[in-house]
Amino acid sequence: MTSAFKLTATALLCGSAFTASAATLFTNVDIFNGTENKLYEDHHVLVEDNMITKISAEPIEAGDAEVIDGQGLTMTPGLIDMHSHFCIQEGMLVGRDGYDQMAMGARAHVSMMQYLDQGFTTARDAGCNILGMAKALTMVLLKGRVFSQRAVS
């Protein structure tokens, strides 16, 4: 796994645990913003309430925010996968014949966590046959907890 993806995954996992008043400060990171052919070196990024609120080459005063030293790793925007298969990673027949609905849901959870580890913040599941997955995501989001940044089933 590359350094950029490790830091992206760290940022996402921290984001999934935020509460309404939480803040996280990433220090000493290089930033690739995805819109310019440029790497911003040795910057600091403040995230408040799940939103990036400040990016600076100068140190940022963030009060009691959790501080994560990026140690020169690269921070990137989250990746998007518009055609994924959370439920059938091993193939259609294995998924159909080898798993019941409960096991398929557990397998889909593993797939989603792998996506986060790889830096994906948005994925569209194009082949999952489990309505329960959409219901579970909806219920988690309705209760105000963030499972991941976005998921579409």
Side-chain angles (χ1 to χ4, degrees), residues 2 6 13 29 38 41 52 56 58 60 70 77 82 88 91 97-98 105-106 111 120 122-123 131-132 139 141 146:
T2 67
K6 286 181 183 176
L13 294 175
V29 295
K38 180 178 181 179
E41 296 181 350
I52 295 174
S56 176
E58 301 299 321
I60 298 172
M82 291 306 296
I88 54 173
D97 299 338
S111 294
F120 288 90
T122 304
L131 181 58
M139 293 308 296
L141 295 173
V146 177

Side-chain angles (χ1 to χ4, degrees), residues 71-106:
Q71 301 175 351
L73 297 175
T74 302
M75 184 176 276
T76 67
L79 303 173
I80 298 172
D81 183 346
M82 291 306 296
H83 187 114
S84 58
H85 296 276
F86 293 131
C87 297
I88 54 173
Q89 295 292 323
E90 291 87 9
M92 183 68 85
L93 295 178
V94 173
R96 183 194 71 197
D97 299 338
Y99 294 94
D100 61 22
Q101 293 286 29
M102 191 73 99
M104 191 60 79

Side-chain angles (χ1 to χ4, degrees), residues 16-32:
S16 68
F18 283 163
T19 61
S21 63
T24 303
L25 176 63
F26 294 91
T27 61
N28 307 311
V29 295
D30 294 342
I31 301 170
F32 174 71

